[in-house]
Amino acid sequence: MSDIKFGEQYGFNTRAVHTGNDIDKESGAIRRPIIMANSYALPYDPTDVNWSEAGKALYTRNGGANQGYLQEKLAALEGSEDCVVLATGVAALSAIFFTFLESGDHVVCSNISYIAVYRLLTELLPRKYNIKATLVDTSDLEAIKAAIRPNTKLIHIETPGNPTLNISDIKEIAKITHKHGALLSVDNTFASLYNQRPTSLGADFSVESLTKYINGHGDAMGGAILGSKVLIDKIRAEAMINIGGAISPFNAWLIMRGTVTLPLRMRQHNENGLKVAQYLEALPCVSFVAYPGLESNPQYETAKKQMINGFSGVLSFGLKTDFSTHNTFVSHLKVITSAVSLGHDESLIVFLGPEDERQYLYPEAFHNGFFRFSVGIEDAEDIIEDIRQALTTVGLLGPLLL
Ligand SMILES: *Cc1c(COP(=O)(O)O)cnc(C)c1O
């Protein structure tokens, strides 16, 4: 990536604005256009064109213009050699599994992770391809070492993990992984590459659901894998072209536009996340708050070491009440929206637990039902006031309890 126009000699904010953009040669526009073409003109004699080749202007599933611009920018922001963008975060995660795992291989993964990863590793991959996984608490380095087998090819972690915010030490896990000759992939979605850059800490892959913070506006889905050119090329050749989870040029363009304000938005998410976590922690009706930026969090030191700019806007918390009061509380919120997803501009809350079978596997981590709360970039005072008035309405907070 050293030959790109806005590379690492520039600061993060400058790269967020400029990398991947340029003057459109045909129109003179100072914004590159959306190129909604499926195909690109072939040379006079196409005999030598390889239909399964990545990167050449051929067909959008092999690599279109807008996805190329986005890849250039994301790699420059992470500081990685290369990047491939795909249709969703899950397309990116499964692209890693399908590219680097063979029948008979073994994976070590965080015991609580994104639900599609859990399904892929515990149901689909073992049943269809005899790929086995051992799920461990990856904040425990000894547990990882104990889970590694001779046929372990991949260690996959999420830090902070979805939805419990568990923190794992990327640098230490990279050492363990490489000593064994395996690959380490880190799902970096909760932190985003503004707050944490796993490839700079030794991970082979950093995975981002672009749907979340990177696009940030809740209006387009995408996924990215960042890493070395050799490994990313293999993913392009095996997974993007032949499994086919290519991103649409329009979504790549929308996400490119979202990334311009990524550092501004993340600074506000970091600030609001901490304020809301501190507010919740002080309430008598709150049973726990999991937020890596709270000094009371037992994983604070590890989080601080690897989350360079802040702790992001996602937290989880529990209320000392029954299931139905959780739903009533949510129904009284006016600023905060009840919906899945996270990392949008607006605050989103979701009640987790009753429907999740992991509630029974990991009762302690699941706290008998809890909220995942993605704190948005509204005014922190309005978010806090919204929580206060809804808790008061359901009787969990009274004037005397304040
Ligand atoms: C949302 C999410 C994903 C999946 O991303 P999609 O874009 O929805 O496919 C993966 N990992 C984490 C941690 C997520 O939060």
Side-chain angles (χ1 to χ4, degrees):
M1 284 283 149
S2 55
D3 54 340
I4 64 168
K5 199 166 160 189
F6 282 94
E8 283 178 80
Q9 70 272 34
Y10 292 96
F12 193 92
N13 298 289
T14 308
R15 279 177 271 155
V17 174
H18 289 286
T19 314
N21 190 36
D22 208 345
I23 293 169
D24 179 45
K25 293 206 172 59
E26 194 172 334
S27 64
I30 64 167
R31 288 276 156 182
R32 276 174 163 167
I34 314 175
I35 300 177
M36 293 296 288
N38 296 351
S39 304
Y40 292 77
L42 289 171
Y44 168 74
D45 178 3
T47 331
D48 291 336
V49 174
N50 175 354
W51 306 125
S52 299
E53 194 172 329
K56 291 258 166 62
L58 172 70
Y59 190 56
T60 288
R61 183 160 39 73
N62 301 57
N66 293 96
Q67 78 201 56
Y69 307 147
L70 180 58
Q71 286 166 178
E72 184 179 322
K73 178 185 272 194
L74 294 177
L77 292 178
E78 169 84 11
S80 65
E81 221 177 32
D82 207 351
C83 171
V84 58
V85 294
L86 293 163
T88 63
V90 168
L93 290 160
S94 39
I96 293 179
F97 299 154
F98 279 96
T99 305
F100 298 100
L101 297 173
E102 307 280 334
S103 173
D105 284 349
H106 176 253
V107 182
V108 176
C109 179
S110 303
N111 57 359
I112 299 172
S113 61
Y114 190 68
I115 190 70
V117 167
Y118 179 76
R119 294 256 176 269
L120 278 164
L121 292 180
T122 62
E123 293 172 20
L124 300 181
L125 293 175
R127 191 177 77 229
K128 291 172 188 278
Y129 306 109
N130 188 33
I131 294 166
K132 301 262 164 58
T134 304
L135 307 186
V136 297
D137 176 353
T138 52
S139 67
D140 179 351
L141 299 177
E142 294 310 315
I144 297 178
K145 286 183 197 157
I148 291 177
R149 300 181 189 170
N151 58 340
T152 303
K153 295 289 159 51
L154 180 74
I155 295 187
H156 178 73
I157 62 170
E158 271 179 28
T159 184
N162 188 354
T164 56
L165 282 293
N166 196 26
I167 300 292
S168 304
D169 189 324
I170 300 170
K171 211 172 191 171
E172 291 306 315
I173 297 173
K175 285 185 206 154
I176 297 169
T177 308
H178 294 147
K179 194 168 163 205
H180 180 73
L183 295 168
L184 174 63
S185 69
V186 179
D187 188 325
N188 197 39
T189 302
F190 268 38
S192 90
L193 44 67
Y194 177 73
N195 284 328
Q196 180 171 272
R197 304 187 194 126
T199 61
S200 73
L201 299 166
D204 298 286
F205 306 111
S206 174
V207 183
E208 301 268 1
S209 166
L210 304 174
T211 312
K212 311 294 172 53
Y213 284 113
I214 308 255
N215 177 51
H217 294 74
D219 52 12
M221 300 191 88
I225 309 162
L226 300 123
S228 71
K229 184 165 180 347
V230 175
L231 295 178
I232 298 295
D233 271 347
K234 196 160 190 290
I235 296 171
R236 279 199 184 94
E238 295 198 9
M240 182 175 78
I241 297 171
N242 294 313
I243 298 176
I247 194 169
S248 94
F250 182 54
N251 282 5
W253 180 88
L254 276 174
I255 295 165
M256 182 82 175
R257 181 180 159 147
T259 56
V260 171
T261 54
L262 177 73
L264 288 171
R265 288 185 285 105
M266 289 315 296
R267 286 197 276 274
Q268 180 85 354
H269 281 296
N270 290 345
E271 197 182 308
N272 285 0
L274 184 59
K275 279 188 185 158
V276 172
Q278 285 167 339
Y279 169 75
L280 288 169
E281 194 181 30
L283 295 179
C285 62
V286 168
S287 56
F288 79 97
V289 183
Y291 181 70
L294 286 176
E295 286 178 33
S296 58
N297 188 319
Q299 300 176 320
Y300 174 72
E301 290 303 328
T302 311
K304 203 173 136 194
K305 194 173 69 168
Q306 60 194 16
M307 300 182 81
I308 46 181
N309 286 321
F311 302 94
S312 201
V314 195
L315 54 87
S316 62
F317 71 98
L319 291 176
K320 293 177 190 163
T321 186
D322 51 22
F323 276 174
S324 78
T325 308
H326 284 89
N327 293 326
T328 330
F329 162 72
V330 167
S331 74
H332 289 292
L333 293 167
K334 294 169 185 160
V335 177
I336 304 159
T337 306
S338 170
V340 296
S341 201
L342 53 102
H344 296 193
D345 40 22
E346 66 185 303
S347 292
L348 299 175
I349 198 164
V350 58
F351 182 50
L352 299 166
E355 82 303 341
D356 196 316
E357 74 255 32
R358 293 174 300 174
Q359 163 85 26
Y360 308 104
L361 287 173
Y362 309 108
E364 247 169 63
F366 271 72
H367 305 275
N368 205 24
F370 65 99
F371 289 111
R372 185 186 69 199
F373 184 14
S374 171
V375 180
I377 57 173
E378 302 97 338
D379 290 294
E381 296 69 27
D382 288 334
I383 301 170
I384 288 171
E385 170 54 23
D386 200 30
I387 300 168
R388 196 202 57 79
Q389 63 79 25
L391 287 175
T392 308
T393 309
V394 298
L396 286 170
L397 208 62
L400 293 177
L401 295 171
L402 276 176

